[in-house]
Amino acid sequence: MNPALTQFGAQMSHLTGVRAIMKDIIETLRAGSGQEFINLSAGNPVILPEVEKLWRDCTAELLASPEYGEVVCRYGSSQGYQPLIDAVVTDFNQRYGLNLTDRNVLITPGSQSIYFYAANAFGGYTAPRTQIADPNSQIPNFKSIVLPLSPDYTGYGGVSLIPEAVIACKPTLDIDAAAHRFKYRPDFSQLSIDQTTGCVIFSRPCNPTGNVLTNDEVQKIADLAAVFDVPVFVDSAYAPPFPSLNFTEMTPIFGGNIVHCMSLSKAGLPGERIGIAIGDRNIIQILESFQTNMCIHSPRYGQAIATRAINSGALADISFNVIRPYYQSKFAIVETTLEQSMPKDLPWFLHRGEGAIFAWLWLKDLPMTDWELYQKLKEVGVIVVPGSSFFPGLREDWQHKHECLRISLTATNDEIETAMKRLAQLVEKVYRG
């Protein structure tokens, strides 16, 4: 069959960003003809023994409990499994001194779904409205989804059914040339939030760069948005208290128009798809209604075992003492190997490693595109992700977009070291011409 697709059908049936590149990577691995590849493209977390044991133990407790049938064999509330909601409320109130109630929390099938709900509930076309002060003037009926710091998570490029609604802002670059390091910062002179803005979304720590916006930067974005009653969705998939993949000190920010959005994927449950939104009860209600229409509710098995892990304190403990140091040590290997292997006179810059499970490398004035370098790296047995996939919504044709690579920290120590040495040799060859 070849059925006709609607406009939305055509859009949603196409892969975007890294998902499109992963197709090429999978085909490369399959057609390798015996070639050994070091795959530094993966976003899948490493299965750490302590983390796997935690979830096995929680599963055994659930299987032995009288609530097993109620969890697995019955429908539940669209808002989420009540014991998990209660666990989140208790933990966050105690940990951060909040005054949350169960109406401030929504459990979703992964945090990606939160951004899909938000983008389409608040972004796109609205019914035309008349200005009260001027009956002849109408309020604009198109709402944008603002990404205040580009690059950012590639998945934001596919969350809106109205692609043109996604608008990203070019950052400023804080460069330490002597140390070969840099950091992206929001350019508030470029950031426009007004009555045409529907919502704001950004990740902290950031996938792909590992960047952590400061508390002041987050609050400034929230304050700009609050003037126009615009919700700000902070993608905290790598943030404390779980999975706690921040390598620099950071404090989650709550309240007002901020919706704190979590995921348990990098805490060892990517297969169970558990997202958690914490925010104003009116915003949570809108997202819950969207979820009810879309999928009734999130799967409850993963929610039930997550409840046990949070209530016992084990999830926060393992996040801080096992997951964080594991990936932080991987970043240190990338950093050290590049410092030892990359020529000092070439304009390479590693983004400061402040969190997440990736390293981000900028090769200024690269003599070829990031996609072409990606192909060259495959020839020497190294697979990374071209950086141009991580600029969804950026309208400007910025050369920088084609000079970056995302490097996963999920390989073994030896693989990462070997791959960085091969990358350094190839980069030198490319620059020397």
Side-chain angles (χ1 to χ4, degrees):
M1 287 184 64
N2 188 24
L5 293 173
T6 65
Q7 179 182 341
F8 291 155
Q11 180 194 332
M12 297 304 287
S13 64
H14 286 92
L15 297 175
T16 61
V18 170
R19 288 293 175 183
I21 292 169
M22 288 307 295
K23 185 174 184 293
D24 179 79
I25 290 171
I26 291 169
E27 290 174 355
T28 298
L29 294 171
R30 285 176 178 168
S33 302
Q35 183 180 3
E36 293 286 331
F37 287 100
I38 299 175
N39 188 355
L40 301 183
S41 68
N44 243 342
V46 176
I47 302 175
L48 302 175
E50 299 92 336
V51 177
E52 183 179 12
K53 183 179 184 303
L54 168 65
W55 298 121
R56 282 183 180 274
D57 290 346
C58 291
T59 297
E61 289 178 24
L62 175 61
L63 289 171
S65 76
E67 66 174 320
Y68 176 81
E70 186 70 23
V71 167
V72 176
C73 304
R74 298 185 68 84
Y75 289 111
S77 162
S78 292
Q79 187 184 355
Y81 180 57
Q82 191 62 44
L84 176 56
I85 293 172
D86 293 341
V88 170
V89 168
T90 299
D91 184 278
F92 277 65
N93 282 346
Q94 291 177 349
R95 191 182 299 276
Y96 298 113
L98 305 176
N99 293 299
L100 301 175
T101 72
D102 61 354
R103 303 313 300 168
N104 297 117
V105 178
L106 174 69
I107 311 300
T108 65
S111 61
Q112 174 88 2
S113 60
I114 301 174
Y115 315 122
F116 183 81
Y117 303 160
N120 294 291
F122 303 109
Y125 292 95
T126 66
R129 291 182 294 143
T130 301
Q131 296 272 17
I132 295 175
D134 182 2
N136 297 316
S137 174
Q138 287 192 330
I139 297 173
N141 70 328
F142 186 80
K143 298 287 189 178
S144 60
I145 300 144
V146 172
L147 313 181
L149 186 71
S150 187
D152 210 330
Y153 175 48
T154 182
Y156 301 151
V159 293
S160 176
L161 293 171
I162 312 294
E164 61 269 28
V166 180
I167 299 175
C169 300
K170 183 179 172 182
T172 60
L173 276 62
D174 186 350
I175 302 171
D176 183 345
H180 290 277
R181 297 292 182 276
F182 83 111
K183 176 180 168 65
Y184 295 112
R185 295 192 183 277
D187 184 349
F188 287 98
S189 69
Q190 299 278 330
L191 179 57
S192 176
I193 298 175
D194 56 27
Q195 69 271 18
T196 67
T197 306
C199 65
V200 176
I201 305 175
F202 59 88
S203 60
R204 180 185 189 242
C206 177
N207 170 5
T209 66
N211 192 18
V212 173
L213 270 67
T214 67
N215 288 1
D216 287 345
E217 288 168 341
V218 174
Q219 195 60 60
K220 187 170 182 178
I221 292 169
D223 290 345
L224 290 171
V227 174
F228 301 97
D229 245 9
V230 171
V232 175
F233 293 84
V234 182
D235 181 348
S236 304
Y238 299 90
F242 24 82
S244 207
L245 274 165
N246 54 302
F247 308 151
T248 187
E249 283 299 316
M250 64 168 284
T251 304
I253 299 177
F254 304 91
N257 58 334
I258 292 176
V259 183
H260 183 78
C261 307
M262 302 165 58
S263 166
L264 297 189
S265 292
K266 300 309 184 287
L269 282 184
E272 290 308 306
R273 313 308 302 130
I274 298 177
I276 304 170
I278 301 173
D280 177 86
R281 60 187 302 167
N282 293 330
I283 299 296
I284 293 298
Q285 180 60 55
I286 292 167
L287 300 178
E288 180 186 343
S289 297
F290 209 111
Q291 175 158 283
T292 304
N293 287 319
M294 186 169 179
C295 62
I296 304 179
H297 64 72
S298 304
R300 282 154 57 87
Y301 161 77
Q303 294 185 66
I305 62 173
T307 302
R308 288 162 167 77
I310 293 172
N311 279 336
S312 68
L315 183 56
D317 179 68
I318 279 181
S319 295
F320 184 82
N321 293 305
V322 176
I323 299 176
R324 177 194 289 178
Y326 178 85
Y327 289 103
Q328 193 166 12
S329 70
K330 299 289 185 181
F331 183 84
I333 294 170
V334 170
E335 194 170 37
T336 301
T337 308
L338 287 177
E339 285 175 348
Q340 294 172 346
S341 304
M342 289 284 269
K344 298 288 188 274
D345 62 331
L346 294 185
W348 64 272
F349 302 94
L350 185 65
H351 195 284
R352 296 206 174 276
E354 298 177 334
I357 64 172
F358 307 104
W360 180 259
L361 182 63
W362 171 35
L363 301 167
K364 187 175 184 293
D365 301 324
L366 183 66
M368 58 177 60
T369 68
D370 58 327
W371 179 264
E372 290 168 334
L373 183 60
Y374 156 76
Q375 301 290 357
K376 291 282 187 184
L377 281 167
K378 288 195 296 185
E379 294 175 9
V380 296
V382 176
I383 298 177
V384 295
V385 178
S388 51
S389 310
F390 297 94
F391 294 82
L394 188 64
R395 303 288 194 265
E396 183 176 342
D397 186 17
W398 188 23
Q399 180 59 32
H400 180 89
K401 289 168 51 175
H402 307 286
E403 299 176 342
C404 300
L405 301 173
R406 189 190 78 172
I407 299 162
S408 173
L409 305 178
T410 56
T412 67
N413 293 355
D414 289 344
E415 286 173 334
I416 292 174
E417 184 176 351
T418 300
M420 291 304 96
K421 289 178 178 177
R422 292 180 187 176
L423 183 150
Q425 291 171 354
L426 178 62
V427 165
E428 180 171 19
K429 184 178 178 181
V430 166
Y431 273 101
R432 305 296 188 208

